[in-house]
């Protein structure tokens, strides 16, 4: 019985060995591509090894991010989504949340003086309602935690909130909730 079985197996390998090898190779290649595709897709928006710092020291969130629930904007007297997080602190210093390159420094309609920094992995951080005396210019390289300006009340659209930082983050040009990246519990 044993010998017959073994012979059967040898026969099988002789007859079909090539197909088995080719099959295994195809399977391995397919598996590799599947794994690569899965890994590529499964790097979720919130899961990065980037070490974000907070944009202000000892700040409180005076208005949080919301993309579905509308919030009242007392200045403009309207209900609106707020794709930003507003920070206020006695210490008005504003810091880059991550190293990167300053993409723009501008005075924006409703948002006031605004610095935009481009980071790795498609991230951008946006700092609005700043004092006009900003410490960086477009093209500057900045480090995480580097002071870039001070919070003020230059955002016409949020004047009634007083001096604060109107802060946003984008990933691949889409606004994302900074709560997913910054450790805002430690504020
Ligand atoms: Zn705001």
């Amino acid at each position: 019985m044993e010998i017959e079985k073994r012979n059967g197996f040898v026969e099988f390998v002789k007859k079909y060995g090539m197909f088995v090898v080719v099959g295994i190779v195809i399977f391995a290649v397919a598996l590799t591509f599947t794994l690569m595709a899965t890994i590529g897709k499964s790097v979720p928006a919130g899961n990065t090894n980037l070490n974000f710092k907070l944009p202000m020291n000892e700040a409180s969130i005076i208005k949080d991010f919301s993309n579905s629930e509308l919030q009242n904007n007392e200045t403009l007297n309207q209900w609106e989504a707020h794709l930003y997080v507003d920070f206020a602190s006695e210490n008005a210093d504003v810091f880059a949340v991550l190293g990167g390159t300053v993409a723009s420094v501008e005075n924006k309609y409703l948002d006031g003086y605004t610095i935009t920094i481009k980071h790795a992995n498609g991230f951008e951080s946006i700092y609005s309602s700043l004092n006009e005396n900003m410490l960086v210019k477009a093209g500057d390289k900045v480090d995480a935690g580097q002071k870039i300006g001070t919070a003020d009340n230059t955002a016409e659209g949020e004047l009634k909130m007083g001096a604060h930082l109107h802060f946003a983050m984008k990933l691949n040009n889409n606004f994302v909730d900074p709560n997913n990246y910054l450790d805002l519990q430690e504020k």
Side-chain angles (χ1 to χ4, degrees):
M1 247 346 228
E2 279 295 303
I3 291 161
E4 259 175 43
K5 254 190 190 170
R6 206 169 292 151
N7 283 344
F9 179 70
V10 169
E11 282 300 306
F12 178 81
V13 170
K14 274 185 185 162
K15 266 190 187 166
Y16 303 111
M18 201 56 190
F19 293 107
V20 171
V21 170
V22 169
I24 288 171
V25 168
I26 290 171
F27 177 74
V29 169
L31 185 66
T32 305
F33 276 104
T34 308
L35 280 179
M36 281 166 71
T38 311
I39 289 165
K41 270 184 211 150
S42 71
V43 174
N47 186 5
T48 74
N49 294 321
L50 301 173
N51 189 14
F52 290 99
K53 302 203 182 230
L54 294 181
M56 290 184 90
N57 282 335
E58 285 144 33
S60 346
I61 293 176
I62 54 172
K63 193 173 197 179
D64 210 345
F65 176 95
S66 67
N67 55 0
S68 50
E69 248 174 72
L70 300 181
Q71 300 192 62
N72 186 22
N73 181 324
E74 285 180 27
T75 306
L76 301 176
N77 196 25
Q78 65 185 19
W79 290 83
E80 59 185 19
H82 188 251
L83 302 176
Y84 289 69
V85 175
D86 292 332
F87 296 94
S89 173
E90 299 221 332
N91 180 346
D93 292 350
V94 172
F95 311 98
V97 293
L98 193 68
T101 305
V102 177
S104 65
V105 174
E106 57 195 325
N107 188 2
K108 286 177 80 174
Y109 175 66
L110 294 181
D111 287 344
Y113 287 103
T114 299
I115 295 171
T116 301
I117 302 175
K118 278 199 188 294
H119 310 287
N121 297 19
F123 281 102
E124 268 174 75
S125 56
I126 301 160
Y127 312 76
S128 287
S129 193
L130 298 174
N131 183 276
E132 68 178 308
N133 296 313
M134 293 166 282
L135 305 177
V136 293
K137 59 182 189 308
D140 284 358
K141 296 255 184 291
V142 293
D143 294 322
Q146 183 178 329
K147 185 180 172 185
I148 56 174
T150 48
D152 209 327
N153 65 343
T154 62
E156 292 277 337
E158 295 185 338
L159 271 185
K160 286 192 177 170
M161 295 175 74
H164 71 286
L165 170 67
H166 179 64
F167 174 81
M169 287 177 63
K170 285 184 176 178
L171 175 58
N172 301 327
N173 294 320
N174 296 312
F175 281 98
V176 288
D177 185 350
N179 288 280
N180 294 336
Y181 306 95
L182 309 183
D183 192 2
L184 297 180
Q185 308 317 315
E186 275 188 26
K187 64 192 177 291

